[in-house]
Amino acid sequence: MKTLRMASDTPASRLAKLAGISASLLSRVERGLVSPSVETLDRIAEGLRVPVSRLLSDGGRRMDFCHVPAGRGITVDRVGADSDHRYELLGHLLSGNLFAEPYLVTLPPDAEPCVTLQHPGVKFLYFLSGRIAYRYGSKTVSVGAGDSMLFDATSPHGIEAVDSGPVSYLSVLLALRD
């Protein structure tokens, strides 16, 4: 509730007035010290201009937020990737049942091909620079800056050849956790 109030830029005193309750009661409700009546919840929801169901969900407790300033991603070694491929982790979700990892991948012009990647999930690639031949299963496509791909990552995939470099692209892996 407090998150919604702050996101709407509504001071607690104004929301209390809109809901017809005291600022003290609103404060205790937001801190979980008292359980409001359904009528009070309805009036608070009206004041926030949201359905009552938004106040009853626990989504706020499970939210992940990750901010990585430019150039400050964590360089990681990826199993199965060639050593000349640079993977910079740009974020990571720690809660919920969705695994999501975005990477900025950078390859030198003489990067070795790697077409044996295969793992659970869905992968999204957005190419920022260079031109490559990318293999997915038995299909090969030529991709360059501005191109994107979205595919089931359980099929073998990867870079078959670097046509011009340097190559950089955004790679986002999405998968359900076990």
Side-chain angles (χ1 to χ4, degrees):
M1 183 180 305
K2 185 175 182 179
T3 302
L4 289 171
R5 179 178 61 75
M6 293 175 71
S8 69
D9 203 23
T10 304
S13 58
R14 172 141 172 77
L15 179 57
K17 186 174 181 178
L18 288 169
I21 61 174
S22 70
S24 173
L25 176 58
L26 178 63
S27 174
R28 288 181 294 174
V29 170
E30 285 185 342
R31 291 181 290 148
L33 300 177
V34 297
S35 296
S37 68
V38 173
E39 180 183 346
T40 301
L41 277 177
D42 186 51
R43 289 189 290 175
I44 292 170
E46 282 182 27
L48 291 170
R49 296 187 179 126
V50 299
V52 174
S53 61
R54 285 281 302 276
L55 302 179
L56 300 175
S57 73
D58 66 348
R61 291 188 192 137
R62 295 179 311 192
M63 286 191 324
D64 270 348
F65 175 79
C66 185
H67 171 239
V68 178
R72 301 292 305 265
I74 299 169
T75 302
V76 298
D77 291 327
R78 295 284 307 203
V79 174
D82 285 341
S83 60
D84 57 353
H85 296 194
R86 183 177 185 270
Y87 287 83
E88 183 180 347
L89 182 62
L90 301 178
H92 188 71
L93 293 180
L94 300 174
S95 65
N97 62 355
L98 180 66
F99 172 85
E101 281 190 341
Y103 289 94
L104 175 61
V105 183
T106 308
L107 317 175
D110 59 346
E112 292 292 319
C114 180
V115 295
T116 58
L117 298 174
Q118 194 174 7
H119 46 82
V122 174
K123 188 178 271 190
F124 173 77
L125 304 177
Y126 181 79
F127 292 86
L128 302 167
S129 67
R131 179 154 288 284
I132 63 165
Y134 200 91
R135 177 173 290 281
Y136 179 75
S138 61
K139 180 180 195 155
T140 301
V141 293
S142 178
V143 292
D147 292 342
S148 63
M149 294 189 298
L150 177 65
F151 54 85
D152 179 345
T154 58
S155 287
H157 60 276
I159 295 174
E160 189 168 86
V162 175
D163 298 328
S164 65
V167 173
S168 64
Y169 59 95
L170 178 65
S171 172
V172 181
L173 175 62
L174 301 168
L176 294 176
R177 295 185 197 272
D178 292 332

